[in-house]
Amino acid sequence: TCIAVNLLNYVAGNIGSTVQFGHNASAGGLSAYADVRKLIEAIEREEISVLLLAGVNPLFKLPEAQRFQEALKKVPLVVSFSSFPDETAAAFHLILPDNTFLESWGDYEPWEGVRGLQQPVMRPLYDTRSMGDVLLSVAGQMGLKQSLPWENYYNYLRDQWQKLYQDLKPAGDFKTFWAQALRDGGVFKPVQTRAVRLNPAALQQSFEPAAVVAGNKDSLT
């Protein structure tokens, strides 16, 4: 489907105008399904003692949901940070509801050159707590304060943006940079686009049938 869409845009003359290449998407850094399979296998081998899940519902969305559910029985402690009651949270030992995105600090880099800054627009409505705050609190109680010295997730996030400020070297001090980022919703910088040309040889290889389907060519059978 992706190849067909790109080909149509190329024929329509959209490449380089409304469709531009060169901005690398962060989706390329996500875990592949093979990584999920490796996790399940590690759980089945009883190599996982604590499992934390947030923002995902594998018992509903995972093709091997039943296998994953059986594997969970081998994990001594399973913690869900889901903000909503779902299939996965119902199967966990401990549920620590995370704040929703409207109640949380955070950042995200969907594309190269785009660093979005998320800030809460309301106080938490219920008895929830940021996952970052929970993990930092637990780390402190485990004696890891030296490695993770931040009092809360907001301080951690601000420190990470201070490193970004040092990398970008904008005009003004960090306080000005941070205030501007909050107003703008992040930091945005131009990224050089790449010229794209059609490669007929690669196109032919991509659409080459993987197998011959037997049947009557004049009918659907």
Side-chain angles (χ1 to χ4, degrees), residues 166-179:
Q166 293 169 355
D167 291 339
L168 295 177
K169 297 181 176 61
D173 57 12
F174 173 71
K175 185 177 180 181
T176 303
F177 169 78
W178 177 252

Side-chain angles (χ1 to χ4, degrees), residues 149-167:
W150 301 278
E151 291 296 328
N152 52 51
Y153 184 73
Y154 169 78
N155 290 344
Y156 165 80
L157 179 69
R158 205 167 185 271
D159 273 4
Q160 301 311 303
W161 275 71
Q162 192 152 14
K163 295 177 183 178
L164 178 63
Y165 163 76
Q166 293 169 355
D167 291 339

Side-chain angles (χ1 to χ4, degrees), residues 7-60:
L7 179 61
L8 289 172
N9 275 308
Y10 188 90
V11 173
N14 297 329
I15 304 298
S17 56
T18 56
V19 179
Q20 298 180 354
F21 289 87
H23 297 69
N24 295 324
S26 61
L30 298 177
S31 298
Y33 185 69
D35 298 318
V36 179
R37 293 288 300 273
K38 290 179 181 178
L39 172 62
I40 296 176
E41 292 168 0
I43 293 174
E44 291 174 336
R45 293 192 299 267
E46 300 185 19
E47 297 175 357
I48 306 297
S49 57
V50 179
L51 182 64
L52 311 178
L53 270 79
V56 293
N57 186 8
L59 293 189
F60 178 75

Side-chain angles (χ1 to χ4, degrees), residues 39 42-43 46-54 68 71-81 92-94 96 134-135 138 142:
L39 172 62
I43 293 174
E46 300 185 19
E47 297 175 357
I48 306 297
S49 57
V50 179
L51 182 64
L52 311 178
L53 270 79
F68 186 78
L72 286 179
K73 297 176 182 178
K74 298 184 177 182
V75 182
L77 178 60
V78 186
V79 182
S80 170
F81 287 92
F92 278 24
H93 301 135
L94 182 62
L96 302 175
V134 172
L135 296 179
V138 171
M142 293 176 63

